[in-house]
Amino acid sequence: MAAVVGDLGGDHRDQGHRHGVGGPDPAQGTRHPDRIADHQAERLKAILGRCPELEKTAHHVQTFTKLMTRRHGDQLEEWMSQVQADDLPDLHSFVTGLRQDAQAVTNGLTLPYSSGPVEGAVNRIKMLKRQMFGHAKLPLLRKRILLS
């Protein structure tokens, strides 16, 4: 893979890359296609064209992203079958994990509900607990949690 990226050549520091190392920005493969500059899209297409496995992986990742952002959980089984049909062991492992709790994954990709507020509260409580570690007992921690 290093040879593939290196062959695209040139010093990329003067092209606005935040990485001081030569080569394309690693985020190019995960950005929305509408947000990639033309020269970056051409470079990405050249890289993907040299590695069929990488091209298939990128396609499956983009399709899964559409399932998530457009809430098409009903198409998850079809997507998993397409991934299993290709020889991509890492994605097979991902699909195996999805199948272990397929109903929850389908619901997460379909329903408008989010556990974000609960996760935010848990994160806040953990931060307070870390800040107070070794400095106070449970009653003071409880007061800080309730007052914040």
Side-chain angles (χ1 to χ4, degrees):
M1 183 62 190
V4 172
V5 175
D7 286 349
L8 295 176
D11 182 7
H12 300 290
R13 285 176 283 180
D14 61 336
Q15 294 180 6
H17 293 287
R18 62 179 172 220
H19 310 289
V21 189
D25 181 355
Q28 286 179 13
T30 58
R31 284 191 194 145
H32 191 281
D34 296 342
R35 294 186 183 157
I36 297 177
D38 290 340
H39 72 280
Q40 292 172 329
E42 290 172 17
R43 184 179 303 136
L44 181 60
K45 186 176 179 181
I47 292 170
L48 295 177
R50 292 182 178 191
C51 181
E53 292 84 10
L54 189 57
E55 188 171 21
K56 288 177 187 178
T57 301
H59 170 74
H60 289 307
V61 168
Q62 287 175 352
T63 305
F64 187 75
T65 302
K66 289 177 186 174
L67 291 179
M68 286 192 314
T69 57
R70 297 178 184 165
R71 297 198 183 279
H72 289 301
D74 56 321
Q75 298 173 6
L76 180 63
E77 187 58 44
E78 178 185 344
W79 179 84
M80 290 191 295
S81 297
Q82 290 173 355
V83 169
Q84 292 292 86
D86 286 334
D87 184 26
L88 302 167
D90 292 331
L91 281 182
H92 289 181
S93 174
F94 178 65
V95 167
T96 300
L98 292 177
R99 287 184 197 263
Q100 288 177 355
D101 203 358
Q103 187 60 50
V105 174
T106 301
N107 288 343
L109 293 175
T110 307
L111 302 174
Y113 308 113
S114 170
S115 63
V118 173
E119 295 295 333
V122 169
N123 189 40
R124 182 180 54 81
I125 291 169
K126 287 181 178 182
M127 180 205 55
L128 289 170
K129 185 178 173 184
R130 280 192 302 270
Q131 286 177 344
M132 297 186 66
F133 181 78
H135 298 290
K137 302 275 186 217
L138 186 60
L140 182 58
L141 175 62
R142 182 177 183 274
K143 283 183 182 179
R144 280 203 63 192
I145 290 171
L146 293 174
L147 293 174
S148 65

